[in-house]
Amino acid sequence: MKDDLSTASAEQLIVALADNNLTVRRLATDALSDRLGDAAVERLRAAARDNASPTLRVHSAWALHRLGKWTAAELEGFLTNSDPLLRLHGYRILSETKSLTPELTDRALAGARDADPLALRAAADALGQHTE
């Protein structure tokens, strides 16, 4: 991505969320959540839900989480997804969530049996962060 992300539109920033370069993806996430904020929520929500790129979906989810706009239902969708990358980041977001509903606690417990070792580790971390 050669565009200046500090002046990029929401559409350009969402495209940048799938860039091969992690720094570009993180800068785009920062710009979406810090500069555009609530104005980008619906575009981020659509990207997290409908895009074919798991990487773009993950970064969209993190931006929504940072904005406080990632819903429990959307999180549940990541935690039950067949893609291990989405489950991994779903559990990482769960770990960063202030408090868990009983349903999300049950989902974290189920994640402790995830077939993917990274997702399993993230689920264990989420449980460790929420001992209440």
Side-chain angles (χ1 to χ4, degrees), residues 10-71:
E11 291 82 10
Q12 291 169 314
L13 291 168
I14 287 173
V15 168
L17 294 178
D19 196 274
N20 289 330
N21 185 318
L22 177 60
T23 301
V24 170
R25 294 193 308 266
R26 287 187 172 175
L27 289 171
T29 301
D30 289 344
L32 283 159
S33 60
D34 299 343
R35 181 168 56 87
L36 297 181
D38 287 346
V41 167
E42 289 312 312
R43 288 182 185 97
L44 285 166
R45 187 162 275 129
R49 181 185 58 240
D50 301 330
N51 199 282
S53 166
T55 300
L56 191 147
R57 293 181 71 191
V58 162
H59 284 277
S60 296
W62 276 108
L64 286 164
H65 175 71
R66 285 173 58 174
L67 291 167
K69 304 293 184 181
W70 190 236
T71 68

Coordinates of all heavy atoms in Angstrom, one line a residue, residues 10-71:
A10 N -12.2 5.6 4.6 CA -12.5 4.3 5.2 C -12.4 3.2 4.3 O -11.9 2.1 4.7 CB -14.0 4.4 5.8
E11 N -12.8 3.3 3.1 CA -12.7 2.2 2.1 C -11.3 1.8 1.9 O -10.9 0.7 1.8 CB -13.4 2.6 0.8 CG -14.9 2.7 0.9 CD -15.4 4.0 1.4 OE1 -14.6 5.0 1.6 OE2 -16.6 4.2 1.7
Q12 N -10.4 2.9 1.7 CA -9.0 2.6 1.5 C -8.3 1.9 2.7 O -7.5 1.0 2.6 CB -8.2 3.9 1.2 CG -8.6 4.5 -0.2 CD -8.1 5.9 -0.3 OE1 -8.2 6.7 0.6 NE2 -7.5 6.2 -1.5
L13 N -8.7 2.4 3.9 CA -8.2 1.8 5.1 C -8.6 0.3 5.3 O -7.9 -0.5 5.7 CB -8.6 2.6 6.3 CG -7.9 4.0 6.4 CD1 -8.6 4.9 7.4 CD2 -6.4 3.9 6.6
I14 N -9.9 0.1 4.9 CA -10.4 -1.3 5.1 C -9.6 -2.2 4.1 O -9.2 -3.3 4.4 CB -11.9 -1.4 4.9 CG1 -12.5 -0.8 6.2 CG2 -12.4 -2.8 4.7 CD1 -14.0 -0.6 6.2
V15 N -9.4 -1.8 2.9 CA -8.5 -2.5 1.9 C -7.2 -2.8 2.5 O -6.6 -3.9 2.4 CB -8.4 -1.8 0.6 CG1 -7.4 -2.4 -0.3 CG2 -9.8 -1.8 -0.1
A16 N -6.6 -1.8 3.2 CA -5.3 -1.9 3.8 C -5.2 -2.9 5.0 O -4.2 -3.4 5.3 CB -4.8 -0.5 4.3
L17 N -6.4 -3.3 5.5 CA -6.4 -4.3 6.6 C -6.0 -5.6 6.1 O -5.7 -6.5 6.9 CB -7.8 -4.3 7.2 CG -8.3 -3.1 8.0 CD1 -9.7 -3.3 8.5 CD2 -7.3 -2.7 9.1
A18 N -6.0 -5.8 4.8 CA -5.6 -7.1 4.2 C -4.2 -7.1 3.6 O -3.8 -8.0 3.0 CB -6.6 -7.6 3.1
D19 N -3.5 -6.0 3.8 CA -2.2 -5.8 3.2 C -1.2 -6.9 3.8 O -1.4 -7.4 4.9 CB -1.6 -4.4 3.6 CG -0.4 -4.0 2.8 OD1 0.7 -4.4 3.1 OD2 -0.6 -3.4 1.8
N20 N -0.3 -7.3 3.0 CA 0.7 -8.3 3.4 C 1.6 -7.8 4.5 O 2.1 -8.6 5.3 CB 1.6 -8.7 2.2 CG 0.8 -9.6 1.2 OD1 -0.1 -10.3 1.6 ND2 1.2 -9.5 -0.1
N21 N 1.7 -6.5 4.7 CA 2.6 -5.9 5.7 C 1.8 -5.7 7.0 O 0.9 -4.9 7.0 CB 3.2 -4.6 5.1 CG 4.2 -4.0 6.0 OD1 4.1 -3.9 7.2 ND2 5.3 -3.5 5.4
L22 N 2.3 -6.3 8.1 CA 1.6 -6.2 9.3 C 1.6 -4.7 9.8 O 0.6 -4.2 10.4 CB 2.3 -7.0 10.4 CG 1.7 -6.9 11.8 CD1 0.2 -7.3 11.9 CD2 2.5 -7.8 12.8
T23 N 2.7 -4.0 9.6 CA 2.7 -2.6 10.0 C 1.6 -1.8 9.3 O 0.9 -1.0 9.9 CB 4.1 -2.0 9.7 OG1 5.1 -2.7 10.4 CG2 4.2 -0.5 10.1
V24 N 1.4 -2.0 8.0 CA 0.4 -1.3 7.3 C -1.0 -1.7 7.9 O -1.9 -0.8 8.1 CB 0.4 -1.7 5.8 CG1 -0.8 -1.2 5.0 CG2 1.7 -1.1 5.1
R25 N -1.2 -3.0 8.1 CA -2.5 -3.4 8.7 C -2.7 -2.7 10.1 O -3.8 -2.3 10.4 CB -2.5 -4.9 8.9 CG -2.5 -5.7 7.6 CD -2.9 -7.1 7.7 NE -2.1 -7.9 8.7 CZ -1.1 -8.6 8.4 NH1 -0.6 -8.6 7.2 NH2 -0.5 -9.3 9.4
R26 N -1.7 -2.6 10.9 CA -1.9 -2.0 12.2 C -2.1 -0.5 12.1 O -2.9 0.0 12.9 CB -0.7 -2.3 13.1 CG -0.6 -3.8 13.6 CD 0.5 -4.0 14.5 NE 0.3 -5.3 15.1 CZ 1.2 -5.9 15.9 NH1 2.3 -5.2 16.3 NH2 1.0 -7.1 16.4
L27 N -1.4 0.1 11.2 CA -1.6 1.6 11.0 C -3.0 1.8 10.5 O -3.7 2.8 10.9 CB -0.6 2.1 10.1 CG 0.9 2.2 10.6 CD1 1.9 2.6 9.5 CD2 0.9 3.2 11.8
A28 N -3.5 1.0 9.6 CA -4.9 1.1 9.1 C -5.9 0.9 10.2 O -6.9 1.7 10.3 CB -5.1 0.1 7.9
T29 N -5.6 -0.1 11.1 CA -6.5 -0.3 12.2 C -6.5 0.9 13.1 O -7.6 1.4 13.6 CB -6.1 -1.5 13.0 OG1 -6.1 -2.7 12.1 CG2 -7.0 -1.8 14.2
D30 N -5.3 1.5 13.4 CA -5.3 2.7 14.2 C -6.0 3.8 13.6 O -6.8 4.5 14.3 CB -3.8 3.1 14.4 CG -3.0 2.2 15.3 OD1 -3.6 1.4 16.0 OD2 -1.8 2.3 15.3
A31 N -5.9 4.1 12.3 CA -6.6 5.2 11.6 C -8.1 5.0 11.7 O -8.8 5.9 11.9 CB -6.1 5.3 10.2
L32 N -8.5 3.7 11.4 CA -10.0 3.5 11.5 C -10.6 3.7 12.9 O -11.6 4.3 13.0 CB -10.3 2.0 11.0 CG -10.2 1.8 9.5 CD1 -9.9 0.4 9.2 CD2 -11.4 2.4 8.8
S33 N -9.9 3.2 13.9 CA -10.4 3.4 15.2 C -10.2 4.7 15.8 O -11.0 5.3 16.5 CB -9.9 2.3 16.1 OG -8.5 2.3 16.2
D34 N -9.0 5.3 15.6 CA -8.7 6.6 16.2 C -9.1 7.8 15.5 O -9.5 8.8 16.0 CB -7.1 6.7 16.5 CG -6.6 5.6 17.4 OD1 -7.4 4.9 18.1 OD2 -5.4 5.3 17.4
R35 N -9.0 7.8 14.1 CA -9.3 8.9 13.3 C -10.7 8.9 12.9 O -11.5 9.9 13.0 CB -8.4 9.1 12.1 CG -8.6 10.3 11.2 CD -7.5 10.5 10.2 NE -7.2 9.4 9.3 CZ -7.9 9.2 8.2 NH1 -8.9 10.0 7.8 NH2 -7.5 8.2 7.4
L36 N -11.2 7.8 12.3 CA -12.6 7.8 11.8 C -13.6 7.3 12.8 O -14.8 7.8 12.8 CB -12.6 6.8 10.6 CG -11.8 7.3 9.4 CD1 -11.9 6.3 8.3 CD2 -12.1 8.7 9.0
G37 N -13.2 6.5 13.7 CA -14.1 6.1 14.9 C -15.4 5.6 14.4 O -15.5 4.7 13.5
D38 N -16.5 6.1 15.0 CA -17.8 5.6 14.8 C -18.3 5.7 13.3 O -19.1 5.0 12.9 CB -18.8 6.4 15.6 CG -18.8 6.0 17.1 OD1 -18.1 5.0 17.4 OD2 -19.3 6.7 17.9
A39 N -17.7 6.6 12.6 CA -18.0 6.8 11.2 C -17.6 5.6 10.3 O -18.2 5.3 9.3 CB -17.3 8.0 10.6
A40 N -16.7 4.7 10.9 CA -16.3 3.6 10.1 C -16.9 2.3 10.6 O -16.7 1.2 10.0 CB -14.8 3.4 10.3
V41 N -17.8 2.3 11.6 CA -18.3 1.1 12.3 C -19.1 0.2 11.3 O -18.8 -1.0 11.2 CB -19.2 1.5 13.5 CG1 -20.0 0.3 13.9 CG2 -18.3 2.0 14.6
E42 N -20.0 0.8 10.5 CA -20.8 -0.1 9.6 C -19.9 -0.7 8.5 O -20.1 -1.9 8.2 CB -21.9 0.7 9.0 CG -23.0 1.0 10.0 CD -23.4 -0.2 10.9 OE1 -23.7 -1.3 10.3 OE2 -23.5 -0.1 12.1
R43 N -18.9 0.0 8.0 CA -18.0 -0.6 7.0 C -17.2 -1.7 7.7 O -16.9 -2.7 7.1 CB -17.1 0.5 6.4 CG -17.9 1.4 5.5 CD -16.9 2.4 4.9 NE -17.6 3.4 4.1 CZ -18.0 4.6 4.5 NH1 -17.7 5.0 5.7 NH2 -18.6 5.4 3.7
L44 N -16.7 -1.4 8.9 CA -15.9 -2.4 9.6 C -16.7 -3.7 9.9 O -16.3 -4.8 9.8 CB -15.4 -1.8 10.9 CG -14.2 -0.9 10.8 CD1 -14.0 -0.1 12.1 CD2 -12.9 -1.6 10.4
R45 N -18.0 -3.4 10.3 CA -18.9 -4.6 10.7 C -19.1 -5.4 9.4 O -19.0 -6.7 9.5 CB -20.2 -4.0 11.2 CG -21.1 -5.1 11.7 CD -22.2 -4.6 12.6 NE -21.6 -4.5 14.0 CZ -21.6 -3.4 14.8 NH1 -22.2 -2.3 14.4 NH2 -21.1 -3.5 16.0
A46 N -19.3 -4.8 8.3 CA -19.5 -5.6 7.0 C -18.3 -6.3 6.7 O -18.3 -7.5 6.2 CB -19.9 -4.6 5.9
A47 N -17.1 -5.7 6.8 CA -15.8 -6.4 6.5 C -15.6 -7.5 7.4 O -15.1 -8.6 7.0 CB -14.7 -5.3 6.5
A48 N -15.9 -7.4 8.7 CA -15.6 -8.5 9.6 C -16.6 -9.6 9.4 O -16.2 -10.8 9.7 CB -15.8 -7.9 11.1
R49 N -17.7 -9.4 8.8 CA -18.7 -10.4 8.6 C -18.6 -11.0 7.2 O -18.7 -12.2 7.1 CB -20.1 -9.8 8.8 CG -21.3 -10.7 8.6 CD -22.6 -10.0 8.7 NE -22.7 -8.9 7.7 CZ -22.9 -7.6 7.9 NH1 -23.0 -7.2 9.2 NH2 -22.9 -6.8 7.0
D50 N -18.4 -10.2 6.2 CA -18.6 -10.7 4.8 C -17.4 -10.9 4.0 O -17.5 -11.4 2.9 CB -19.6 -9.7 4.1 CG -20.9 -9.6 4.8 OD1 -21.4 -10.5 5.4 OD2 -21.5 -8.5 4.7
N51 N -16.2 -10.5 4.4 CA -15.1 -10.5 3.6 C -14.5 -11.9 3.5 O -14.5 -12.6 4.5 CB -14.0 -9.5 4.1 CG -13.0 -9.2 3.0 OD1 -12.1 -10.0 2.7 ND2 -13.2 -8.1 2.3
A52 N -13.9 -12.2 2.4 CA -13.3 -13.6 2.2 C -11.9 -13.7 2.9 O -11.4 -14.8 3.2 CB -13.1 -13.9 0.7
S53 N -11.3 -12.5 3.1 CA -9.9 -12.5 3.7 C -10.0 -12.6 5.3 O -10.5 -11.7 5.9 CB -9.2 -11.2 3.4 OG -8.1 -11.1 4.2
P54 N -9.5 -13.7 5.8 CA -9.5 -13.9 7.3 C -8.7 -12.7 8.0 O -9.1 -12.2 9.0 CB -8.9 -15.2 7.6 CG -9.1 -16.0 6.3 CD -9.1 -15.0 5.2
T55 N -7.6 -12.3 7.3 CA -6.8 -11.3 7.9 C -7.6 -10.0 8.0 O -7.6 -9.3 9.0 CB -5.5 -11.1 7.0 OG1 -4.8 -12.3 7.0 CG2 -4.6 -10.0 7.6
L56 N -8.3 -9.6 6.9 CA -9.1 -8.4 6.9 C -10.2 -8.5 8.0 O -10.5 -7.6 8.7 CB -9.7 -8.2 5.6 CG -10.3 -6.8 5.4 CD1 -10.1 -6.3 3.9 CD2 -11.8 -6.8 5.7
R57 N -10.8 -9.7 8.1 CA -11.9 -9.9 9.1 C -11.4 -9.7 10.5 O -12.0 -9.0 11.3 CB -12.5 -11.2 8.9 CG -13.3 -11.4 7.6 CD -13.9 -12.7 7.4 NE -15.0 -12.9 8.4 CZ -15.6 -14.0 8.6 NH1 -15.3 -15.1 8.0 NH2 -16.7 -14.0 9.5
V58 N -10.2 -10.2 10.8 CA -9.6 -10.1 12.1 C -9.3 -8.7 12.5 O -9.6 -8.2 13.5 CB -8.3 -11.0 12.2 CG1 -7.4 -10.6 13.3 CG2 -8.6 -12.5 12.2
H59 N -8.6 -8.0 11.5 CA -8.3 -6.6 11.8 C -9.6 -5.7 12.0 O -9.6 -4.8 12.8 CB -7.3 -6.0 10.8 CG -5.9 -6.5 11.0 ND1 -5.1 -5.9 12.0 CD2 -5.3 -7.6 10.5 CE1 -3.9 -6.6 12.0 NE2 -4.0 -7.6 11.1
S60 N -10.6 -6.0 11.2 CA -11.9 -5.3 11.3 C -12.5 -5.6 12.7 O -13.0 -4.6 13.4 CB -12.8 -5.7 10.3 OG -12.4 -5.4 9.0
A61 N -12.4 -6.8 13.2 CA -12.9 -7.1 14.5 C -12.2 -6.4 15.6 O -12.8 -5.9 16.5 CB -12.8 -8.6 14.7
W62 N -10.8 -6.3 15.5 CA -10.1 -5.6 16.5 C -10.4 -4.1 16.5 O -10.5 -3.5 17.6 CB -8.6 -5.8 16.3 CG -8.1 -7.1 16.9 CD1 -7.7 -8.2 16.3 CD2 -7.9 -7.4 18.3 NE1 -7.3 -9.2 17.2 CE2 -7.4 -8.7 18.4 CE3 -8.2 -6.6 19.5 CZ2 -7.2 -9.3 19.7 CZ3 -7.9 -7.2 20.7 CH2 -7.4 -8.5 20.8
A63 N -10.6 -3.5 15.4 CA -11.0 -2.1 15.3 C -12.3 -1.9 16.0 O -12.5 -1.0 16.8 CB -11.0 -1.6 13.9
L64 N -13.3 -2.8 15.7 CA -14.6 -2.7 16.3 C -14.5 -2.9 17.8 O -15.2 -2.2 18.6 CB -15.6 -3.7 15.7 CG -16.0 -3.4 14.3 CD1 -16.6 -4.7 13.7 CD2 -17.1 -2.3 14.3
H65 N -13.7 -3.8 18.3 CA -13.5 -4.0 19.7 C -12.9 -2.8 20.3 O -13.4 -2.3 21.4 CB -12.6 -5.2 19.9 CG -12.2 -5.4 21.4 ND1 -13.2 -5.9 22.3 CD2 -11.1 -5.2 22.1 CE1 -12.6 -5.9 23.5 NE2 -11.3 -5.5 23.4
R66 N -11.9 -2.2 19.7 CA -11.3 -0.9 20.2 C -12.4 0.2 20.4 O -12.3 1.0 21.3 CB -10.2 -0.5 19.4 CG -8.9 -1.3 19.6 CD -7.8 -1.0 18.6 NE -7.4 0.3 18.6 CZ -6.4 0.8 17.9 NH1 -5.7 0.0 17.1 NH2 -6.0 2.1 18.0
L67 N -13.3 0.2 19.4 CA -14.3 1.2 19.5 C -15.5 0.9 20.4 O -16.4 1.7 20.6 CB -14.9 1.4 18.0 CG -13.9 2.1 17.1 CD1 -14.5 1.9 15.6 CD2 -13.7 3.6 17.4
G68 N -15.5 -0.3 21.0 CA -16.5 -0.8 21.9 C -17.8 -1.1 21.1 O -18.9 -1.1 21.6
K69 N -17.7 -1.5 19.8 CA -18.8 -1.8 19.0 C -18.9 -3.2 18.5 O -19.7 -3.6 17.8 CB -18.7 -0.9 17.7 CG -18.7 0.6 18.0 CD -20.0 1.1 18.6 CE -19.9 2.6 18.8 NZ -21.1 3.1 19.4
W70 N -18.0 -4.1 19.0 CA -18.0 -5.5 18.7 C -19.0 -6.2 19.6 O -18.8 -6.2 20.8 CB -16.6 -6.0 18.9 CG -16.3 -7.4 18.3 CD1 -15.8 -8.4 19.1 CD2 -16.4 -7.9 17.0 NE1 -15.6 -9.6 18.3 CE2 -16.0 -9.3 17.0 CE3 -16.9 -7.4 15.8 CZ2 -16.0 -10.1 15.9 CZ3 -16.9 -8.2 14.7 CH2 -16.5 -9.5 14.7
T71 N -20.0 -6.8 19.0 CA -21.1 -7.4 19.9 C -20.7 -8.8 20.3 O -19.9 -9.5 19.7 CB -22.4 -7.4 19.1 OG1 -22.3 -8.3 18.0 CG2 -22.8 -6.0 18.6

